[in-house]
Amino acid sequence: MEIAAPESDVWSNWLLQRRHGGDGCYQAALRKLVERYADKVLDGAALAPGMRMLDLGSGEGLVPFKALARFDGALTVTLTDVSLPMLRYAEEQAKALGWWAQCAFLPCPATDLQPLEDARFDAVTSRAVLAYVADKLVALRECYRVLKPGGRLSLAEPIFQDEALVACALRKLVSDPAAPPEDRFLPLLHRWKAALFPDTEAALRANPLTNYTERDLLQLVQAAGFAQPHLELHIDIAPAGLPSWEAFLDSAPHPLTPTHGTVLAERFSLDERAFFEQILRPSIESGQFQSSERIAYLTAIKPGL
């Protein structure tokens, strides 16, 4: 059941529209994908009936609502989000699904959980949240604080650094005086990629989305005090699943970037847009356009039991 958000911001715009470009088939395919992420996060949380769970950056509520469904509502779940529109959307979803009585809703960033007392939760979960947090260590220390001794942390985070490294490499290629001048597509490919991810090493290091790897996550979790960390990096390269050129134009790879169509409209001339489409559109509409995903799944325990 879809509930309209009462307001809008960059997070709700992406989650409810720009992630799938308004294409229902693409939305359904992405839903299946993110449900797999959520299931693995919940497997790592090792929940049991009667437990208290905290979910960071809950968005539309996928992770907490799947947790409640697993145990037929025999959990209490606190949903947090920096986006008030998304938190209100999740609250309406909870009512529609019959889970509202088991949920609490807290508007706050991952770095400031002060409304929550120490050692309150049995598990803290998060999916694609730390990637957007500048001070990841502070957020992880807050997770540690609110967990009970023996409580579990279970995260799934995208690793975007390789995307930025590709943009940096393209920048060097097109800046090389020896680059073939007849290659019209390479500069356009760089311009498109640079609109989505940093294309200099300095910008890469300054951007919370790209300045960390899975190994950095592992070190940060240990620095926050957690024990027994376990990390799995899943890399999948497969057809992107975009059903049409229009869906590509109306979608965006993450919340902090414009849609592909906006990039082409604002950074390309009419002739450049036509040439870019001539090269890229056939691979998208034939299903041959490839996407790569790097997801780090990490679990750890707060020591003390």
Side-chain angles (χ1 to χ4, degrees), residues 184 188 191 268-278:
R184 291 179 59 198
L188 300 183
R191 202 182 307 164
F268 288 53
S269 69
L270 286 174
D271 287 344
E272 289 171 337
R273 291 204 298 272
F275 181 66
F276 190 82
E277 179 178 347
Q278 175 187 337

Side-chain angles (χ1 to χ4, degrees), residues 240-299:
L242 288 157
S244 67
W245 178 249
E246 289 71 26
F248 168 77
L249 292 178
D250 290 339
S251 62
H254 60 80
L256 303 183
T257 189
T259 64
H260 299 297
T262 299
V263 172
L264 297 184
E266 293 181 351
R267 301 197 178 204
F268 288 53
S269 69
L270 286 174
D271 287 344
E272 289 171 337
R273 291 204 298 272
F275 181 66
F276 190 82
E277 179 178 347
Q278 175 187 337
I279 300 298
L280 199 60
R281 183 170 184 167
S283 69
I284 287 176
E285 297 197 330
S286 67
Q288 296 178 351
F289 185 71
Q290 300 282 304
S291 69
S292 61
E293 283 196 322
R294 296 163 178 82
I295 306 291
Y297 295 96
L298 192 151
T299 61

Side-chain angles (χ1 to χ4, degrees), residues 81-215:
D81 209 293
V82 72
S83 169
L84 188 57
M86 284 314 304
L87 205 60
R88 290 177 174 171
Y89 180 92
E91 187 167 4
E92 292 304 312
Q93 292 279 33
K95 291 175 183 177
L97 293 168
W99 301 131
W100 188 81
Q102 291 93 331
C103 297
F105 301 87
L106 179 65
C108 67
T111 52
D112 185 7
L113 305 177
Q114 287 307 312
L116 302 173
E117 62 266 31
D118 296 357
R120 175 176 177 80
F121 296 97
D122 300 285
V124 173
T125 58
S126 176
R127 181 183 62 85
V129 173
L130 289 183
Y132 303 96
V133 174
D135 199 332
K136 294 173 175 55
L137 181 56
V138 168
L140 288 167
R141 283 175 173 161
E142 279 290 86
C143 294
Y144 184 92
R145 180 183 65 79
V146 301
L147 272 172
K148 298 176 181 178
R152 294 182 65 86
L153 176 73
S154 184
L155 312 174
E157 289 297 331
I159 306 297
F160 285 123
Q161 189 172 103
D162 281 359
E163 298 287 354
L165 290 173
V166 169
C168 291
L170 286 170
R171 180 186 179 91
K172 290 178 181 178
L173 281 174
V174 300
S175 302
D176 186 350
E182 67 275 8
D183 190 341
R184 291 179 59 198
F185 184 66
L186 195 61
L188 300 183
L189 184 63
H190 164 252
R191 202 182 307 164
W192 168 60
K193 196 74 172 180
L196 309 177
F197 297 98
D199 69 338
T200 68
E201 291 184 7
L204 180 157
R205 290 192 299 269
N207 191 322
L209 202 64
T210 58
N211 67 2
Y212 71 97
T213 67
E214 67 281 357
R215 296 190 181 196

Side-chain angles (χ1 to χ4, degrees), residues 22-96:
D23 186 285
C25 292
Y26 190 36
Q27 181 182 18
L30 288 175
R31 177 77 180 190
K32 290 182 180 178
L33 188 63
V34 297
E35 283 185 351
R36 292 206 302 269
Y37 303 156
D39 283 334
K40 189 159 180 63
V41 168
L42 291 174
D43 290 344
L47 295 164
M51 284 187 171
R52 290 178 174 176
M53 169 183 150
L54 172 67
D55 187 58
L56 300 181
S58 298
E60 66 270 58
L62 176 62
V63 173
F65 298 154
K66 284 183 77 68
L68 286 164
R70 281 192 178 196
F71 297 97
D72 197 25
L75 299 171
T76 56
V77 179
T78 297
L79 293 79
T80 73
D81 209 293
V82 72
S83 169
L84 188 57
M86 284 314 304
L87 205 60
R88 290 177 174 171
Y89 180 92
E91 187 167 4
E92 292 304 312
Q93 292 279 33
K95 291 175 183 177

